[in-house]
Amino acid sequence: MTTDCTPRYCYADPVEGGKQAVAEAYRNLCAVGAKPLAITNCLNFGNPQRPEIMAQIVGCLEGMSEACIALDMPIVSGNVSLYNESKATGGGSAILPTPAIGGVGLLKDWRKAVGVGFKAEGEDVVLIFGAKTGHLGQSLWLREVCGLEDGTPPPIDLEMEAAVGTHVRQLIDAGRVSAVHDVSDGGFLVAVAEMALAGGIGAEIGLGEASGLTGWAFGEDQCAYVVTMKDALSYQRESNTRHVTAIVMGSTGGNSLRLSSMDKAIGEIPLATLRAAHEGFFPKLMDG
């Protein structure tokens, strides 16, 4: 089971945001090896009597519908929550459009399920994707580093989502991957960091050319997964015949994330430092 939604995408482009909410639920299920079956939803919006809010509702529903049909995930139930606005600011301060998606999938053999944590040292870290553009519009990098909430959300290629998701499920079923994580908030490098923290094992990662480093590291391109495996080179040759792109980005090992670009070291972050930042936010917020 999974639940997800990216409200900032829906606000920037309701149709693409609606597609992405369904597509991310699809990816989350595929990432553990489950065949996606169906979704439910909770449609959270502001005052539908305001034209801009009704436009958000209609756009999100159009995007959700398109994704459900393309990914064969029917909506079997749902809930609607409207008029979510704050009177504290004099009214009219609506929440971001949030069509929350709950998805369910089926694993025929639960023993084949794969988690996000790195399992062993010396395994290859592979990025599997449909198209890599380094899209930074509406990304967390843009918001947290640059202080901007701007641009369009990453586009969704639903046909490629289905193809790559099916491919990842086949890899899991065949026992060829030891860890899988879909790429979403924060992009590739955040996904790797989460995998390292979950497994307690570091990694050495190469990010390619310096000119596109930020996009490679933090671009929130859709239809992408990070996996670990032992036979990455042979798998790479096979993947080229399946219209799926696979790039070996590094290998697991150590107790830190070590980053490089074109064989030049960029920096090193101990897992202990990452863990303190990752797990320390909520306690600090409550203490404050």
Side-chain angles (χ1 to χ4, degrees):
M1 296 184 292
T2 181
T3 58
D4 231 310
C5 185
T6 310
R8 65 183 186 277
Y9 290 174
C10 296
Y11 183 75
D13 186 328
V15 175
E16 287 299 311
K19 288 183 194 176
Q20 193 274 342
V22 174
E24 183 161 357
Y26 179 85
R27 284 194 300 272
N28 289 344
L29 294 167
C30 289
V32 297
K35 177 178 173 54
L37 295 180
I39 67 171
T40 185
N41 63 71
C42 182
L43 306 177
N44 306 282
F45 294 90
N47 181 355
Q49 298 176 57
R50 294 166 54 193
E52 65 273 23
I53 301 298
M54 180 53 74
Q56 292 174 353
I57 297 173
V58 171
C60 285
L61 289 176
E62 288 179 353
M64 290 166 57
S65 174
E66 187 176 339
C68 285
I69 292 170
L71 300 175
D72 193 22
M73 293 178 70
I75 297 176
V76 298
S77 64
N79 176 58
V80 178
S81 177
L82 302 176
Y83 298 95
N84 293 289
E85 302 190 356
S86 173
K87 293 182 178 179
T89 57
S93 179
I95 65 165
L96 293 179
T98 309
I101 299 297
V104 293
L106 177 66
L107 267 166
K108 292 184 178 180
D109 185 349
W110 62 267
R111 290 167 295 188
K112 292 184 177 182
V114 174
V116 302
F118 290 154
K119 300 300 188 299
E121 298 199 0
E123 293 193 320
D124 294 316
V125 178
V126 182
L127 177 63
I128 301 174
F129 56 95
K132 181 68 175 172
T133 63
H135 189 97
L136 293 171
Q138 295 299 325
S139 66
L140 288 185
W141 177 86
L142 191 66
R143 187 182 77 186
E144 300 300 325
V145 176
C146 301
L148 298 173
E149 296 184 21
D150 199 6
T152 60
I156 310 291
D157 184 332
L158 293 170
E159 183 177 353
M160 187 61 72
E161 284 283 1
V164 177
T166 299
H167 177 66
V168 169
R169 295 199 310 272
Q170 291 170 344
L171 289 176
I172 294 172
D173 186 62
R176 297 193 64 180
V177 292
S178 56
V180 181
H181 195 2
D182 67 303
V183 176
S184 56
D185 283 348
F188 165 76
L189 197 55
V190 169
V192 170
E194 290 174 346
M195 296 174 82
L197 289 175
I201 299 172
E204 185 164 349
I205 301 296
L207 294 174
E209 296 182 10
S211 59
L213 187 149
T214 301
W216 268 100
F218 302 111
E220 296 179 7
D221 299 318
Q222 304 295 290
C223 188
Y225 300 79
V226 182
V227 309
T228 53
M229 59 173 57
K230 295 180 179 179
D231 56 346
L233 291 180
S234 62
Y235 163 69
Q236 241 185 331
R237 289 191 290 269
E238 296 170 19
S239 68
N240 290 334
T241 66
R242 294 189 175 95
H243 307 292
V244 172
T245 304
I247 298 178
V248 180
M249 301 294 293
S251 60
T252 61
N255 57 8
S256 64
L257 283 186
R258 301 170 299 284
L259 309 177
S260 64
S261 174
M262 301 300 289
D263 296 326
K264 294 183 179 179
I266 297 175
E268 183 173 351
I269 308 172
L271 292 188
T273 301
L274 284 173
R275 194 175 303 282
H278 182 63
E279 298 178 359
F281 169 77
F282 193 66
K284 290 179 181 177
L285 177 67
M286 297 305 292
D287 289 341

